[in-house]
Amino acid sequence: MALESNEYPDKSINKFESMLKTDDVYFFDAEDFEEIIHHYLNNGKISLGKKAIQIGLEQHPNSMELKLLQVEVLAFEDKFDAAETLLDEIQTINAANEEVYIQRANIRSKQDKHQEAVNLLLEALDITDHSFDIHSLLGMEYLFMDNYEQAKLSFMRCVEIDDGDYSSLYNVVYCFEFLEDYDGSILYLNDYLDRNPYCEVAWHQLGKMYLAKKRYIEALTAFDFAVISDDSFIGAYFEKGKVLEKLGRYNEAIENYESTISIEDPTSYAFLRLGKCHEKLGNYDLAKYYYYHTVHEDPLLDKGWLAITDFHFRQKDHEKAIYYINKAINIDGENPKYWKKAGKLYAALNNWDEADFAYKQAVDLGNYELETWRNWAEVLNKIGDYNSAIQVLTQGLEFYPDNSNLTYKLAGIHLKNHDLDEAKSILSKAMKLDIGKLQQFEKEFPEFIEVDWVKALVSKIRKTAK
């Protein structure tokens, strides 16, 4: 028994699913099938979408739209040959269908043939008056090709067609940012705002561009306008708070961060910034209160644990600082920032063995910062394990081959290890890299200042440098 279709999509979907559970056959218009299929595909229910396409084509075998939806599913499943065959069939019937070119471009894109995809989309532009989606797709293809200039122009075209297309507006700004053309972005956004003066998204993006240029007063004004345009725009309050922090206006920054909490559920980031502001103001109890809330809200936020650790360290409560960094390590022992911080704390407490272990963990987990190599070598120097210190500094110099600090320290450690020839060679190199850092060497290794050959080498290098 065939039943007529429903004019409301939800009813069509309910009736379609009811049909699947019975032996009845319900009739739907092709447009109804399109809505049903889009519903399933948009919600990730591919198997139901395929079933709707199958039944739809049984009832409407000549529907181009349903066949194109079938192509879309075939492409999604990487069945490119079958999709291309069906597109050939559709194009034979309707050569001027831009959707054929769009679907072919989609297939090329999935095959990483992005230039071919661009060429097909440009062909589609030639045969349609509805170009918005095509410009958007072109923009994405150009992004895949790292052609940010062309991507920018494509997304600009989308914004020209639809001023309210904030997704494309974001992409335009992203391209400007990637090209490091902040001035160009500022000009573009100001021009956009001349036409759309109450667009909170554009004001927010403009503020971020001013912030990137360190033009804090203009950034503050832009974020103010974003808030005026939408007083529930949390992102604008956050950014405004960041600018006020830069300007040292911590009480005003606190007001903005508190606004975000009043609008929506508090975030760990809001608690963290509130803690930082209160600490700057000397409100240590409130700072501690917000830092604790930061790690409670998000135990995996490393900035929270590092902030509360640093807070206790600055308060000279070293035991609590160690307690919290170890608590962080117990939660996420694979985080190199935690181990680096632990190394620094243990070294401050003259707990050299624990500091050595912590720095080793940090490096093993991928922390190759200059400070890590230098501090780890100093820990090993304190222990008297000169061979290990030499090994650490040698590794560090692989990452920072012309760093005079590491080179001077390596020369000094070789001297302490009685490697005289190696020490002479390395000290000579260090002085050639930066003779001005010799004072640091003299401070770290004062026992070698009056050694005759060291004095002679210094004199020789100084004469050469003149």
Side-chain angles (χ1 to χ4, degrees):
M1 178 180 70
L3 300 177
E4 64 182 13
S5 68
N6 295 282
E7 58 179 318
Y8 300 108
D10 286 347
K11 289 186 178 180
S12 295
I13 291 160
N14 291 336
K15 183 167 284 188
F16 179 77
E17 292 183 358
S18 173
M19 180 183 75
L20 294 179
K21 296 172 185 174
T22 67
D23 291 332
D24 293 332
V25 177
Y26 300 165
F27 180 80
F28 298 85
D29 287 339
E31 291 78 8
D32 291 318
F33 273 115
E34 289 175 46
E35 289 173 351
I36 292 166
I37 294 160
H38 279 299
H39 168 79
Y40 288 134
L41 296 184
N42 290 339
N43 287 280
K45 299 178 179 179
I46 306 301
S47 58
L48 282 170
K50 288 168 70 175
K51 188 69 176 175
I53 290 170
Q54 177 196 332
I55 296 170
L57 284 171
E58 287 171 0
Q59 294 188 9
H60 305 280
N62 296 321
S63 170
M64 291 294 145
E65 288 74 16
L66 293 179
K67 288 181 179 179
L68 285 165
L69 284 168
Q70 187 176 22
V71 169
E72 192 174 323
V73 170
L74 288 168
F76 175 79
E77 296 179 327
D78 294 342
K79 296 176 180 176
F80 302 132
D81 290 341
E84 290 280 13
T85 299
L86 189 52
L87 285 169
D88 289 341
E89 177 188 322
I90 295 167
Q91 197 164 17
T92 301
I93 299 167
N94 185 0
N97 190 328
E98 75 274 6
E99 192 64 32
V100 172
Y101 293 93
I102 291 171
Q103 289 299 331
R104 288 196 196 276
N106 177 43
I107 292 168
R108 298 297 188 281
S109 182
K110 293 194 72 173
Q111 294 172 323
D112 292 329
K113 299 175 180 177
H114 299 295
Q115 185 57 58
E116 290 183 28
V118 165
N119 295 340
L120 286 159
L121 290 169
L122 291 173
E123 286 189 67
L125 273 180
D126 289 337
I127 58 173
T128 183
D129 296 326
H130 308 291
S131 62
F132 175 86
D133 287 340
I134 299 173
H135 283 295
S136 181
L137 291 169
L138 274 167
M140 294 310 298
E141 291 304 316
Y142 286 126
L143 284 182
F144 287 134
M145 297 163 67
D146 296 331
N147 188 339
Y148 293 93
E149 191 62 47
Q150 284 292 13
K152 181 184 71 177
L153 296 174
S154 293
F155 291 124
M156 280 180 171
R157 188 72 185 98
C158 291
V159 176
E160 284 175 27
I161 297 168
D162 178 7
D163 267 351
D165 176 27
Y166 295 152
S167 177
S168 291
L169 182 62
Y170 279 121
N171 281 327
V172 170
V173 176
Y174 170 76
C175 291
F176 272 118
E177 278 187 285
F178 194 91
L179 294 166
E180 297 184 356
D181 183 8
Y182 299 106
D183 291 329
S185 183
I186 288 168
L187 285 171
Y188 176 80
L189 287 165
N190 274 309
D191 182 62
Y192 177 89
L193 284 161
D194 284 343
R195 303 190 307 275
N196 303 277
Y198 299 106
C199 177
E200 71 278 7
V201 171
W203 282 116
H204 180 244
Q205 292 299 304
L206 180 61
K208 289 176 71 174
M209 295 302 100
Y210 280 130
L211 185 54
K213 294 282 290 182
K214 295 183 168 54
R215 293 165 63 177
Y216 298 130
I217 301 304
E218 292 103 320
L220 197 59
T221 301
F223 293 132
D224 274 333
F225 277 115
V227 170
I228 290 167
S229 302
D230 179 1
D231 62 6
S232 64
F233 190 1
I234 288 176
Y237 285 108
F238 268 127
E239 296 293 341
K240 188 179 171 186
K242 284 165 62 177
V243 175
L244 289 164
E245 279 192 72
K246 297 274 188 190
L247 294 170
R249 293 157 62 177
Y250 299 112
N251 282 311
E252 293 173 74
I254 286 168
E255 288 176 16
N256 280 272
Y257 294 134
E258 285 177 342
S259 294
T260 69
I261 293 173
S262 67
I263 295 167
E264 202 171 81
D265 289 340
T267 64
S268 57
Y269 181 76
F271 285 138
L272 177 62
R273 296 321 312 167
L274 283 164
K276 295 272 190 185
C277 289
H278 280 295
E279 188 176 0
K280 290 284 188 182
L281 291 168
N283 303 329
Y284 298 124
D285 287 341
L286 278 170
K288 186 164 60 173
Y289 168 83
Y290 283 116
Y291 288 146
Y292 285 162
H293 272 65
T294 301
V295 295
H296 176 76
E297 185 71 25
D298 184 1
L300 293 178
L301 181 68
D302 56 13
K303 289 181 180 177
W305 289 109
L306 295 171
I308 198 168
T309 299
D310 286 338
F311 171 78
H312 285 298
F313 186 73
R314 283 190 288 269
Q315 297 296 309
K316 302 192 184 310
D317 191 344
H318 296 151
E319 294 304 321
K320 274 198 174 178
I322 289 289
Y323 169 79
Y324 279 105
I325 202 62
N326 279 324
K327 195 170 174 63
I329 287 169
N330 287 335
I331 293 170
D332 181 11
E334 300 295 304
N335 189 323
K337 291 180 183 177
Y338 294 159
W339 287 108
K340 180 189 172 188
K341 183 65 69 177
K344 197 170 184 178
L345 289 170
Y346 282 122
L349 295 171
N350 297 331
N351 191 338
W352 307 117
D353 288 334
E354 290 289 353
D356 174 28
F357 179 78
Y359 280 124
K360 182 180 186 308
Q361 293 297 111
V363 170
D364 286 346
L365 290 168
N367 184 289
Y368 306 132
E369 294 172 12
L370 175 61
E371 184 186 28
T372 303
W373 298 110
R374 188 174 63 241
N375 290 349
W376 188 12
E378 183 55 28
V379 166
L380 292 164
N381 178 32
K382 295 290 187 184
I383 294 171
D385 187 354
Y386 303 133
N387 286 324
S388 294
I390 288 167
Q391 187 177 353
V392 165
L393 289 165
T394 303
Q395 278 186 275
L397 283 163
E398 289 177 10
F399 291 91
Y400 306 95
D402 295 324
N403 184 268
S404 58
N405 290 322
L406 294 185
T407 310
Y408 273 115
K409 186 175 282 290
L410 181 58
I413 299 293
H414 271 298
L415 277 168
K416 294 181 88 168
N417 204 39
H418 308 295
D419 306 326
L420 193 58
D421 290 340
E422 196 70 23
K424 286 181 179 180
S425 172
I426 295 168
L427 184 57
S428 176
K429 179 182 177 183
M431 286 190 285
K432 288 174 183 174
L433 284 170
D434 188 350
I435 191 68
K437 293 284 179 66
L438 182 61
Q439 286 182 331
Q440 178 187 317
F441 172 80
E442 292 172 346
K443 185 178 178 181
E444 281 194 66
F445 305 99
E447 65 267 39
F448 301 118
I449 297 172
E450 297 302 323
V451 174
D452 288 341
W453 71 261
V454 173
K455 291 165 70 176
L457 183 60
V458 170
S459 176
K460 178 182 175 184
I461 297 293
R462 285 192 189 281
K463 285 178 182 176
T464 306
K466 285 182 179 178

